[in-house]
Amino acid sequence: MHAQEIRETFLDFFADKNHRTVKSASLLPKDDPTLLFTNAGMNQFKNMFLGLEKRSYLRAASVQKCMRVSGKHNDLEQVGKTNKHHTFFEMLGNFSFGDYFKKEAIEYAWELVTEGFKMAEEKLYVTVYQEDDEAFQIWNKHVGIAESRIFRYGKKDNYWAMGDTGPCGPCSEIHYDLDEEMEAGEPYDLIGKGSDRFLELWNLVFMQYEQSEQGKLLSLPSPSIDTGMGLERVATVLQGKKNNYDTDLFIPLIEMVCDLVRQEYPSDSKTDTSIRIIADHIRAVTFLIGDGIMPSNDGRGYVLRRLIRRAYRQGNFLGIENPFLYKLVGGVVDIMKDAYPELLSSANYIAKVCLSEERRFAMTLTSGLKTFDQFIEEARSSYQNVLSGDKLFKLYDTFGFPVDLSRELAEEQEMTIDEKGFQEELEKQRQRARRAWKGEALQKEKKVYEKFKDLPSEYVGYELDKTEAEVVAIIKGSKTLEQLDEGEQGEIFLDVTPFYAEAGGQVGDSGILKNPHFSGVIDSTYFPIPEIRAHKLKVISGQIRVHDKVEAVIDLPLRNALSKNHTATHLLHSSLRAILGDHVKQAGSLVSPDRLRFDFTHFAPVKPQELRQIETLVNEKIRDNIPVQTKITTMEKGIEEGAVAIFEEKYGESVRMVTVGDFSKELCGGVHVHNTGEIGLFKITSETSIAAGMRRIEALSGEAALLHVQEEESILQEIIHMMNSPKKELPEQISRLKASVKDMEKESKALRQKMANIRYQKDTQQIQTIQNISVLTQEVDGLSINELRELADSLKQKMGSGIVVLGESEGKKAFIVIAVTKDLTDRIKANDLIKKVAPMVGGGGGGRPDFAQAGGTKPEQIAVVLKSIGSILQEIIPHKITSKED
């Protein structure tokens, strides 16, 4: 059974059991700051399990894209070495939100495995939590599995918890015996130690308890089910293999790698491991970039960068010297296109990002080898034959050197490495990353609001700009209050509100709350937890209490500006795709009253003529005064109708589709104009790069755009007046002016250089003789650094043989240049001498044996340096031995 058939069989089976088929969420988790990546099928349902979100269904099934490269779920170091570990994988899962429980979950799992997938029962074993007699009895008495094939394990293996507190419960696993010949032994022992002979196919989690903050284990009123089954492992069984990498999910990629390296697979263990790592990592890389994650030096982007570099190094081990991973992206897309058709439109873009990162790493690797040689030299000069842990970590962290590469290179130099020290440095970095990652703190902040999850909260802002409402809760900091007094600030929760809460890149509404005894200003509105809107309030006069009736009024001018900018953003998005291509995807946005910002995937700077075309197209659609229509639909139907979904967003069951004629169609919950003509004018103000393969456009609309154009026109008129030239002739006039200034600067430089030569070349009193070498030291002024270099070179040539040391101060900066004639570089090198003097002026420097320079922050030390040159040279110049014949 092919992988796609397995996906379809799984989803069809549970659809027949009244489960809602739910599309895979992005690898970029939405509304869960505790996660770097989506790492389980249940992630997108987390708020449902916690009771923070309600949907129209109580049963669901999905095939979820997952990444496990961080935290407690980190399989990175096992990838390629075992038959069953991966960075990216797909999890088949079925879920019950307070509907069915253990009996049905176990029945469904057994029915699908034995009847749907037709796995041999004699190959299957079951594990349960050691105290879960109920699950044991269901498997044994109800399903009919012999006691000898049901194993009990402890909390480490068969118990699941969402965190230190929250939902938890026992779990039960189904394991498959691949082949007795793979490893002899008792099944209980082999499963317990994680033998490759047994595949853990399916984990059924029974969420029946809640761990309280006081340490008590409480029974949940509505127990739930969360299951996960690895697609790659099921494919291994159903395709009659003993290794996940031998399935149709990997073999085409492995064959592509083998074609590149001209080697057979399988061959030897080391080569096979490298090939498997490449095949695994390119899947992860393709999906991460496809979901909008870009290589960077921190967070998710750092993980992506590390995966690319790790795979690239494996290619180096196999003899590939040039970028190659980008060539494999098409292979991943071809394998996955049936399940993830969105990859087809992104393939070229993903390949370009990958190629760029590979080229970057190739350059970094070259620098890394130089640094490695430097570390070896330093170790030897200190009479050490071990490369220290901190040096290993720098090679790893800065240059992407795996420890095994450093080990191999060190062995070539007859040295060893301090692996223990490296691991200590690595752990320090992990601790720093944990402190820097704000997810856990954000999650703790959210707990304050969980008590409000059942509060009434109706949004009427699409239709109304003001409404009567009741205050249902007040919070200040982490405390729930009954009232706020004049001058106090807090957060107000209303049973009905016209205030739009920040979402989808659009900032939250502001406005006022009032009644006859109170008035207050709403600064912003946001969602602390799903569906619950918090209004940040400052009390201006009077007092506000829970259950008070108030009038909620949004700031209408600001709302109108927001509406214009938001619809303009949709027009911009469609225009970008029309002019640049369908590979353009939204990667982030900001819609505020005064401006809009749009981040998108594109691999080159947008050319000026392209920007002009984009801006013209948007304004054309504005002038067309196209009606902006909205309707409520499902995500699936919206996509079928051609709507664009944004990968940074998390969509619920019902979505709002915003349509602008036949030009733009997006799933969006934001506020918009009724007709595009209301926008008035659209003006792009900047286009910049924010990351490799990621561009940013900033723009204005409406009155702000008009003011911007008027300001630019005012500046232009001022320049016309200053230049005394018609507008059309300005470019030519300015070019002539620039050329004239350049000529004058050239003449000025030549004059300064000539004067410097006259002034300093006749001053020979600064020349001293040290060990038969002429040394000129001189403090100069009024020269640029380039002119200082040229003067040193001129003085060196005049001397014929000798050393020139010049110093100059410019504000709070110090500059030193040293020139050595060629005949002396075997005795004294300029770059050695500069390293001695640079620290004296509070800086550093370098250069060649015949010329070097340094800069520093202690200009007052220049005279001291020049005075010290003689004694420094006495120390470092080797004495010339004179023969008797001389």
Side-chain angles (χ1 to χ4, degrees):
M1 189 179 283
H2 295 300
Q4 181 59 14
E5 292 178 79
I6 296 170
R7 296 184 190 103
E8 291 170 357
T9 299
F10 179 86
L11 293 175
D12 289 347
F13 175 85
F14 282 103
D16 289 341
K17 306 290 185 188
N18 299 315
H19 287 62
R20 175 72 63 85
T21 298
V22 180
K23 183 178 165 62
S24 171
S26 167
L27 287 171
L28 183 65
K30 181 69 176 172
D31 296 330
D32 191 345
T34 64
L35 291 175
L36 262 182
F37 300 107
T38 299
N39 63 12
M42 64 80 61
N43 291 160
Q44 68 168 312
F45 304 112
K46 184 175 178 180
N47 285 328
M48 293 181 72
F49 285 121
L50 290 171
L52 300 177
E53 181 183 352
K54 291 182 173 62
R55 299 186 190 175
S56 64
Y57 53 85
L58 295 175
R59 301 179 174 204
S62 68
V63 179
Q64 175 63 51
K65 299 176 290 186
C66 296
M67 282 283 296
R68 288 193 175 173
V69 287
S70 59
K72 66 179 182 180
H73 296 300
N74 187 350
D75 295 334
L76 183 59
E77 297 304 323
Q78 298 301 314
V79 169
K81 298 174 183 175
T82 73
N83 298 337
K84 56 192 179 185
H85 287 97
H86 307 289
T87 52
F88 170 87
F89 66 99
E90 294 172 83
M91 186 177 284
L92 313 172
N94 61 290
F95 311 91
S96 164
F97 312 106
D99 186 16
Y100 63 83
F101 197 48
K102 282 185 194 177
K103 181 174 176 291
E104 294 89 339
I106 289 171
E107 287 176 347
Y108 292 158
W110 191 252
E111 181 183 346
L112 178 57
V113 166
T114 58
E115 297 179 26
F117 291 145
K118 295 183 169 40
M119 294 184 193
E121 293 186 21
E122 64 272 13
K123 289 277 196 176
L124 298 170
Y125 291 81
V126 170
T127 69
V128 297
Y129 177 50
Q130 59 191 11
E131 297 176 14
D132 192 357
D133 293 331
E134 181 186 4
F136 188 96
Q137 291 298 323
I138 294 170
W139 281 114
N140 179 229
K141 303 297 184 187
H142 188 74
V143 176
I145 297 177
E147 288 188 15
S148 60
R149 304 180 77 84
I150 307 173
F151 303 139
R152 294 178 186 259
Y153 292 98
K155 272 197 171 182
K156 178 177 174 290
D157 297 301
N158 278 79
Y159 200 88
W160 178 90
M162 192 174 282
D164 294 334
T165 61
C168 58
C171 56
S172 179
E173 298 167 348
I174 300 175
H175 292 258
Y176 188 89
D177 186 352
L178 288 170
D179 192 337
E180 289 183 13
E181 294 181 4
M182 290 179 69
E183 185 174 3
E186 288 298 318
Y188 177 86
D189 298 325
L190 295 176
I191 290 173
K193 75 170 192 175
S195 167
D196 274 351
R197 173 180 154 184
F198 285 89
L199 273 185
E200 178 200 320
L201 283 181
W202 207 341
N203 188 9
L204 316 178
V205 177
F206 310 128
M207 289 190 206
Q208 62 188 106
Y209 302 114
E210 179 173 14
Q211 187 75 43
S212 72
E213 292 181 356
Q214 293 75 34
K216 293 182 179 179
L217 198 62
L218 310 171
S219 293
L220 288 172
S222 301
S224 297
I225 292 293
D226 158 29
T227 84
M229 174 163 56
L231 172 66
E232 294 76 9
R233 298 185 180 193
V234 180
T236 295
V237 173
L238 298 184
Q239 293 173 21
K241 308 298 182 182
K242 297 176 183 177
N243 187 322
N244 291 5
Y245 292 95
D246 292 340
T247 66
D248 63 344
L249 289 163
F250 290 93
I251 281 296
L253 296 173
I254 286 172
E255 289 173 348
M256 290 177 76
V257 177
C258 289
D259 287 343
L260 289 172
V261 300
R262 299 172 190 264
Q263 293 194 39
E264 293 293 321
Y265 177 90
S267 54
D268 65 87
S269 174
K270 190 173 180 181
T271 298
D272 292 351
T273 297
S274 292
I275 290 172
R276 288 195 293 265
I277 289 172
I278 292 169
D280 172 272
H281 285 15
I282 193 59
R283 283 169 26 110
V285 166
T286 298
F287 276 93
L288 286 171
I289 298 173
D291 275 0
I293 295 159
M294 298 298 296
S296 68
N297 287 329
D298 54 27
R300 299 176 178 109
Y302 179 71
V303 173
L304 172 58
R305 172 162 285 166
R306 190 175 169 208
L307 289 171
I308 292 173
R309 293 183 171 192
R310 203 165 181 267
Y312 186 88
R313 280 301 302 155
Q314 297 303 320
N316 290 168
F317 292 150
L318 296 172
I320 305 175
E321 296 181 356
N322 297 313
F324 69 97
L325 292 170
Y326 74 98
K327 299 177 182 177
L328 304 177
V329 170
V332 177
V333 173
D334 196 49
I335 295 167
M336 296 292 200
K337 63 188 177 188
D338 290 337
Y340 306 99
E342 64 272 15
L343 287 174
L344 288 166
S345 61
S346 305
N348 289 337
Y349 170 76
I350 295 168
K352 284 180 179 178
V353 174
C354 197
L355 174 60
S356 172
E357 188 62 21
E358 288 185 87
R359 284 174 173 164
R360 178 178 179 147
F361 182 49
M363 290 188 286
T364 304
L365 207 54
T366 303
S367 303
L369 289 169
K370 290 179 183 175
T371 304
F372 177 85
D373 291 340
Q374 180 186 326
F375 288 165
I376 292 291
E377 191 73 29
E378 290 172 0
R380 282 182 171 151
S381 65
S382 304
Y383 304 101
Q384 296 175 351
N385 64 349
V386 179
L387 200 57
S388 65
D390 62 323
K391 298 287 196 295
L392 288 170
F393 181 75
K394 178 161 186 179
L395 290 166
Y396 167 85
D397 193 48
T398 306
F399 302 105
F401 273 39
V403 179
D404 48 5
L405 172 61
S406 294
R407 187 189 304 109
E408 287 179 19
L409 292 172
E411 286 172 357
E412 290 172 10
Q413 300 291 332
E414 298 183 348
M415 295 185 72
T416 58
I417 64 172
D418 176 13
E419 290 199 46
K420 183 182 177 185
F422 168 77
Q423 292 299 333
E424 289 171 356
E425 293 294 327
L426 189 61
E427 183 56 34
K428 288 179 190 174
Q429 188 213 40
R430 286 172 180 154
Q431 294 295 339
R432 288 193 297 271
R434 289 188 192 108
R435 288 194 294 272
W437 185 249
K438 299 173 183 175
E440 295 292 344
L442 290 170
Q443 193 69 4
K444 285 176 182 175
E445 286 177 23
K446 282 191 172 190
K447 282 189 175 296
V448 175
Y449 298 93
E450 287 183 8
K451 67 187 90 165
F452 302 138
K453 64 185 180 183
D454 295 321
L455 286 177
S457 180
E458 182 187 359
Y459 176 64
V460 295
Y462 293 134
E463 301 84 21
L464 303 173
D465 54 39
K466 60 184 175 181
T467 189
E468 296 295 321
E470 179 184 339
V471 177
V472 292
I474 300 173
I475 192 170
K476 184 176 181 180
S478 59
K479 293 181 180 178
T480 303
L481 304 178
E482 284 298 310
Q483 66 183 51
L484 284 176
D485 295 321
E486 187 171 313
E488 282 194 291
Q489 297 183 43
E491 293 179 8
I492 295 284
F493 299 83
L494 305 174
D495 65 337
V496 57
T497 179
F499 289 87
Y500 180 87
E502 181 174 347
Q506 180 182 317
V507 301
D509 275 331
S510 55
I512 59 172
L513 290 185
K514 60 183 180 178
N515 64 28
H517 313 291
F518 147 85
S519 68
V521 174
I522 299 294
D523 289 327
S524 66
T525 313
Y526 75 106
F527 289 109
I529 57 177
E531 306 303 324
I532 301 298
R533 293 167 178 82
H535 306 74
K536 293 187 176 181
L537 173 76
K538 180 176 181 180
V539 180
I540 303 301
S541 65
Q543 180 187 79
I544 183 77
R545 298 179 60 85
V546 176
H547 302 308
D548 278 359
K549 302 291 184 182
V550 294
E551 184 180 24
V553 185
I554 63 173
D555 186 322
L556 198 54
L558 289 183
R559 163 65 80 85
N560 289 337
L562 276 168
S563 300
K564 290 173 183 176
N565 278 339
H566 206 148
T567 306
T569 301
H570 283 216
L571 296 179
L572 172 61
H573 189 184
S574 292
S575 297
L576 284 165
R577 290 170 68 88
I579 303 299
L580 302 180
D582 287 342
H583 65 280
V584 169
K585 289 184 179 177
Q586 181 174 334
S589 67
L590 170 69
V591 178
S592 67
D594 57 334
R595 66 191 175 100
L596 66 93
R597 186 183 73 214
F598 190 80
D599 300 338
F600 59 99
T601 55
H602 186 58
F603 218 78
V606 183
K607 297 171 186 173
Q609 63 268 32
E610 291 173 329
L611 280 176
R612 178 65 63 86
Q613 286 177 286
I614 291 160
E615 188 177 85
T616 299
L617 183 54
V618 173
N619 281 300
E620 179 186 308
K621 299 303 175 184
I622 290 171
R623 290 193 303 275
D624 288 344
N625 199 27
I626 305 166
V628 178
Q629 298 173 322
T630 63
K631 77 171 185 178
I632 304 300
T633 183
T634 64
M635 182 178 175
E636 291 74 16
K637 287 181 180 177
I639 299 296
E640 284 174 15
E641 291 182 37
V644 175
I646 311 305
F647 54 63
E648 65 173 352
E649 286 304 307
K650 179 182 177 181
Y651 297 98
E653 272 188 278
S654 297
V655 295
R656 189 164 173 262
M657 187 165 71
V658 178
T659 304
V660 183
D662 58 2
F663 185 67
S664 168
K665 192 176 287 186
E666 291 192 25
L667 304 182
C668 174
V671 297
H672 290 269
V673 296
H674 297 97
N675 299 280
T676 58
E678 295 173 33
I679 299 170
L681 179 66
F682 173 82
K683 182 66 184 170
I684 293 173
T685 57
S686 70
E687 190 276 337
T688 55
S689 169
I690 55 171
M694 199 80 74
R695 311 297 301 179
R696 170 173 289 172
I697 280 180
E698 298 200 48
L700 304 169
S701 75
E703 188 176 353
L706 178 61
L707 287 172
H708 177 81
V709 171
Q710 289 173 337
E711 283 175 11
E712 290 199 328
E713 180 66 24
S714 177
I715 293 168
L716 180 59
Q717 290 302 322
E718 199 173 325
I719 294 170
I720 289 170
H721 179 72
M722 290 169 64
M723 298 293 294
N724 193 26
S725 171
K727 183 162 62 174
K728 287 187 177 179
E729 294 178 13
L730 274 181
E732 186 181 342
Q733 284 274 50
I734 291 170
S735 292
R736 281 203 297 267
L737 185 61
K738 285 176 69 178
S740 176
V741 170
K742 192 174 181 181
D743 288 341
M744 285 189 281
E745 284 177 346
K746 201 172 180 180
E747 288 174 15
S748 175
K749 179 184 174 183
L751 186 59
R752 285 198 309 274
Q753 195 70 50
K754 188 174 182 180
M755 292 175 67
N757 284 335
I758 293 169
R759 177 181 174 185
Y760 297 114
Q761 286 187 6
K762 69 180 182 182
D763 191 356
T764 57
Q765 63 185 12
Q766 302 294 336
I767 296 179
Q768 53 187 310
T769 302
I770 298 168
Q771 294 190 36
N772 296 323
I773 295 175
S774 297
V775 181
L776 171 62
T777 58
Q778 181 73 55
E779 184 169 1
V780 301
D781 59 68
L783 300 181
S784 69
I785 186 65
N786 285 335
E787 291 164 353
L788 189 66
R789 285 196 293 259
E790 289 172 4
L791 176 61
D793 191 55
S794 175
L795 293 172
K796 180 179 76 170
Q797 289 180 28
K798 186 181 179 188
M799 288 177 72
S801 177
I803 299 170
V804 177
V805 183
L806 302 181
E808 182 181 26
S809 61
E810 184 182 312
K812 294 182 179 180
K813 295 179 182 178
F815 299 104
I816 303 284
V817 297
I818 299 175
V820 179
T821 54
K822 295 278 187 185
D823 63 311
L824 298 174
T825 53
D826 59 335
R827 296 183 65 193
I828 178 67
K829 292 179 172 52
N831 49 339
D832 289 341
L833 182 54
I834 204 76
K835 287 176 184 175
K836 293 279 186 182
V837 302
M840 298 172 69
V841 292
R848 307 184 307 269
D850 64 327
F851 186 86
Q853 67 183 53
T857 57
K858 297 179 180 178
E860 70 278 3
Q861 291 295 106
I862 287 176
V864 176
V865 170
L866 296 176
K867 196 172 181 181
S868 306
I869 289 295
S871 58
I872 294 171
L873 286 171
Q874 288 282 10
E875 292 176 17
I876 65 175
I877 296 177
H879 291 273
K880 191 171 182 180
I881 299 172
T882 307
S883 66
K884 289 181 180 179
E885 286 79 359
D886 291 338

